[in-house]
Amino acid sequence: QVQLVESGGGLVQAGGSLRLSCAASGSIFSSYTMGWFRRAPGKEREFVAAISGSGARIYYRDSVKGRFTISRDNAKNTVYLQMNSLNPEDTAVYYCAAKSSGMTRYARDYEYDYWGQGTQVTVSS
């Protein structure tokens, strides 16, 4: 079993930055692909970024490329999402997820085995 706990969300003005953290426990963290997803009000959960177990492979959705950076520290069992140049369209609950099956279909939420509780990110204009 893997437990995931997100933190670092909050309220920020457009153009600002936030750094989200996801702390994992219960299994060997480096064995899992880790992903960030988000759900905006009235919308379905969507893929944001993913990183392979070693950190060698990284993918982002197009709308966050150049603004968001996913990283991981396997010694700390933690994955991060650095979010810069935030805009109101980034407002959502952000979820950390763990995937045991590698990076195949990394953008599909149903591929992930474990989910955190989410952390709210609100970007004001």
Side-chain angles (χ1 to χ4, degrees), residues 27-42:
S27 295
I28 300 175
F29 180 70
S30 62
S31 298
Y32 290 87
T33 294
M34 300 297 297
W36 286 98
F37 291 76
R38 66 188 182 187
R39 177 175 284 165

Side-chain angles (χ1 to χ4, degrees), residues 52-70:
S52 63
S54 68
R57 300 297 297 171
I58 292 173
Y59 296 95
Y60 301 98
R61 72 178 297 109
D62 287 345
S63 63
V64 309
K65 288 180 179 177
R67 301 190 298 121
F68 290 11
T69 302
I70 188 171

